[in-house]
Amino acid sequence: MKRAKFNFHNVRLSNKLLIMYILSVFIPIVLTNIIFYSVTINNVKKQQIHDSELALRQIRNDFGKIIDDAVGISSSLYTNAKINLFLEKDYLTDVDYVENYDMYLRTFNQSSPINPSINSIRFYTDNSTVIYSGGVYPLTNDIKKSNWYKHDMERSAASPIVLHSPIDNQTSTFSLMRRLDYFNFNNKQKVVKIELNPSTIESIFHNVTFKGNVYLLNAEDEIAYTTQEDLAWRKKFIHFSSVSKTNRTVILKSPALNQAFLRNWKVVGTISEKTMLNTVYKSGQFIIYLAIINILIPSIIIILINRSFLNRLHRILRHVKKLGDQNFERIPDPEYTDEIGQLSSEFNRMTKKIKELIHDVFLANIQKQDLEIKRNRAQLSALQSQINPHFLFNALETIRMRSLMKDEQETAKIIHNMAKIFRNSLTWGKDFVTVRDEINLIMSFLEIQKYRFGDKLSYEIHVDEAAENCLIPNMAILPFIENASIHGIEPLKEDGEIKVTITLEKDLLCFCIEDNGTGMTQVKKEELLASLEMDEEIGENVGIKNVYYRLRLYYRNQFQFTFQSEKQKGTVVMIQLPYNLVLS
């Protein structure tokens, strides 16, 4: 099937206005707000990322500064000959040690400037003659077995080592470890441990300007410190890649720390986009309200304007459609001066003119229709009058022939059936009868034919109970029974059979008349069908033509008539009537 070509003129006016509104108002406003919102989000995101990078850089610099301070202190101790001699010397008595402690170490502690980033300074030595107190601790086997100590002893340079130092389960800090082996008189193993102030570390990493989690990563990308509270990084090293992150998490990295002993250490921050854009999301409601206002006001204006003419156009359209039902109502609108008002005025003038024309030709049409009705009735009467003599002649001939062969009792029975048929032929003024009455008439006819043919003829009649009270045209079926008997069964020598079936299927009353008679050739069948469509004299095939013409007069094109026939095989006639349309 060829697809119809689209034409914009076929689109309803209301749909055209809707398309115009969507393309000219709704979509531009929505797109404008979406673009504005997207640009704002991108700008805010860039600004937040920039500020967060600055905050990370500040954390990196502050952490590097306190490490540099601790390294500076360790360097002064590393090159301090007196303290190295104090830790190197063998003491004969405890008094001798206390005097040297007061002279060198206590004096150093008192003279050193106070640095709030340093929590404590401890000295570790394997000198067994010192008293381990006041910041001096033994270099035990546990310390010597530790990884940092082994790593420190393996190195040739005496550069410091930065270690993560847990204080308890909730607090941790960093310590700077350095081997004191600067001088040639170095005979004892000496290590200084400078522990950073945990509150200083916490204040550096918990930067209020950074709104996410901060991670300090060592050279192996293991977390050395973090602000993420639900991460057990104090108990074991956790690789940064194993930290749970979503697709909407922004990862920011600062440049690596400058110190040689902190090579490849870096500060990394993670922020969710939701946190970064929280301010924009809060202002999103304002953008939505603004978009609603921008859409609502033009929409109200457009609706008011559309109503001024769409409603009136629909009213005109309804009245135009009523013209098809010969309803010539005037449009009650006032006479407005716009184009639609002028259209309403012209429509009212046209309906007035049509009414006048109808009034002028009404009587002539009635007379014409009356003549047509009379003509149809006359044709119907003529058709009916052709049926009775033809049928009665055959019936009386049958009685005459059988009377010669039978006694009076059988003749009386057949005459009784004949009387029924003759009585029905006298009631042609009754156009419609019930299916039950028609069946009674058919049975009378078939009994006459059975009387005539004897065992040569058998018949069956099947009728739906629901169809018995339906009305059909008088003698609409009997001519087909007569045709089956006379033209189909009579030429046979034996085993003739006629079957009548009447059913009710949905809204159709269906008749089926079957016989196993001589049938007819295809040529004869086509000639009969062609003759049914010719409005000429009836001529041959009186019974079939009479029924067909009567059905056409009663039902017009609301009935179906078909038949099938084969030579020496019989004939099947099918009739379907709209039972709900018959007269009641």
Side-chain angles (χ1 to χ4, degrees), residues 361-532:
V361 300
F362 183 69
L363 294 177
N365 287 337
I366 291 177
Q367 293 174 355
K368 182 178 179 181
Q369 291 175 3
D370 186 56
L371 291 174
E372 183 68 20
I373 291 172
K374 290 179 179 180
R375 186 185 68 82
N376 289 339
R377 286 180 178 176
Q379 185 177 0
L380 180 58
S381 297
L383 291 172
Q384 292 172 348
S385 65
Q386 293 182 38
I387 292 176
N388 294 338
H390 179 78
F391 169 71
L392 292 177
F393 175 82
N394 288 328
L396 290 174
E397 179 64 17
T398 299
I399 295 173
R400 187 185 68 83
M401 295 296 296
R402 295 298 295 178
S403 296
L404 298 176
M405 302 171 61
K406 299 292 181 179
D407 57 22
E408 293 182 358
Q409 184 176 358
E410 289 180 333
T411 303
K413 181 179 178 181
I414 200 63
I415 291 175
H416 175 71
N417 290 325
M418 188 60 217
K420 290 182 181 179
I421 299 173
F422 187 71
R423 187 182 307 112
N424 185 78
S425 68
L426 298 177
T427 59
W428 271 99
K430 187 178 182 181
D431 293 339
F432 286 87
V433 296
T434 64
V435 171
R436 185 187 300 110
D437 293 338
E438 184 75 6
I439 291 299
N440 290 335
L441 189 63
I442 290 172
M443 291 182 66
S444 295
F445 175 81
L446 287 175
E447 286 182 7
I448 294 173
Q449 296 301 91
K450 179 71 174 175
Y451 178 80
R452 176 185 178 188
F453 296 123
D455 295 336
K456 178 181 175 179
L457 172 66
S458 64
Y459 62 88
E460 295 180 15
I461 299 177
H462 302 283
V463 183
D464 284 356
E465 185 177 351
E468 289 184 355
N469 292 322
C470 294
L471 294 179
I472 61 174
N474 190 9
M475 293 185 70
I477 309 300
L478 183 59
F480 295 102
I481 307 298
E482 180 187 6
N483 246 20
S485 174
I486 303 302
H487 301 291
I489 304 302
E490 185 174 354
L492 296 179
K493 294 181 179 180
E494 59 182 357
D495 297 331
E497 183 179 358
I498 297 175
K499 184 177 180 180
V500 181
T501 305
I502 303 176
T503 58
L504 196 60
E505 299 177 6
K506 295 184 179 179
D507 57 349
L508 294 176
L509 189 60
C510 302
F511 300 86
C512 180
I513 301 97
E514 304 177 56
D515 69 75
N516 62 347
T518 57
M520 65 180 70
T521 64
Q522 183 67 22
V523 175
K524 182 65 176 178
K525 174 184 170 183
E526 292 176 356
E527 290 177 355
L528 176 60
L529 289 174
S531 67
L532 294 178

Side-chain angles (χ1 to χ4, degrees), residues 319-337:
H319 281 75
V320 170
K321 289 182 177 179
K322 290 179 180 179
L323 292 178
D325 299 328
Q326 299 182 2
N327 188 342
F328 303 101
E329 292 182 6
R330 292 173 56 86
I331 298 176
D333 285 347
E335 294 185 359
Y336 297 109
T337 57

Side-chain angles (χ1 to χ4, degrees), residues 305-313 316 333-346:
I305 295 175
N306 288 345
R307 288 185 62 185
S308 70
F309 62 88
L310 270 182
N311 290 342
R312 289 189 291 155
L313 280 178
I316 293 173
D333 285 347
E335 294 185 359
Y336 297 109
T337 57
D338 62 353
E339 288 80 357
I340 299 177
Q342 295 178 23
L343 181 61
S344 300
S345 300
E346 290 299 319

Side-chain angles (χ1 to χ4, degrees), residues 47-180:
Q47 185 63 41
Q48 290 285 342
I49 291 176
H50 177 71
D51 294 344
S52 299
E53 289 176 343
L54 292 179
L56 284 180
R57 191 180 294 272
Q58 181 65 38
I59 293 172
R60 167 190 172 277
N61 294 337
D62 291 346
F63 180 73
K65 183 177 182 303
I66 65 172
I67 294 297
D68 287 339
D69 292 344
V71 170
I73 295 174
S74 71
S75 297
S76 66
L77 294 174
Y78 181 70
T79 58
N80 191 316
K82 293 181 179 180
I83 290 179
N84 278 270
L85 286 172
F86 166 73
L87 296 173
E88 187 77 21
K89 183 179 178 181
D90 292 328
Y91 299 98
L92 300 176
T93 63
D94 292 343
V95 175
D96 186 21
Y97 170 78
V98 172
E99 289 178 352
N100 280 270
Y101 178 85
D102 291 338
M103 183 181 299
Y104 299 111
L105 194 57
R106 193 183 302 277
T107 302
F108 170 78
N109 290 335
Q110 292 175 352
S111 61
S112 298
I114 298 174
N115 191 331
S117 64
I118 305 300
N119 189 45
S120 65
I121 300 176
R122 297 182 180 185
F123 296 94
Y124 294 86
T125 180
D126 60 357
N127 189 347
S128 59
T129 63
V130 302
I131 299 173
Y132 298 118
S133 64
V136 180
Y137 298 89
L139 194 60
T140 63
N141 290 330
D142 292 338
I143 295 177
K144 291 180 180 181
K145 293 178 181 179
S146 63
N147 292 330
W148 68 267
Y149 184 81
K150 292 179 180 179
H151 180 68
D152 186 49
M153 293 302 294
E154 291 173 356
R155 295 188 305 156
S156 59
S159 59
I161 299 176
V162 177
L163 300 174
H164 172 251
S165 300
I167 297 176
D168 52 41
N169 291 333
Q170 300 296 328
T171 309
S172 62
T173 185
F174 290 92
S175 298
L176 188 139
M177 314 293 291
R178 189 164 191 174
R179 198 169 67 232
L180 300 178

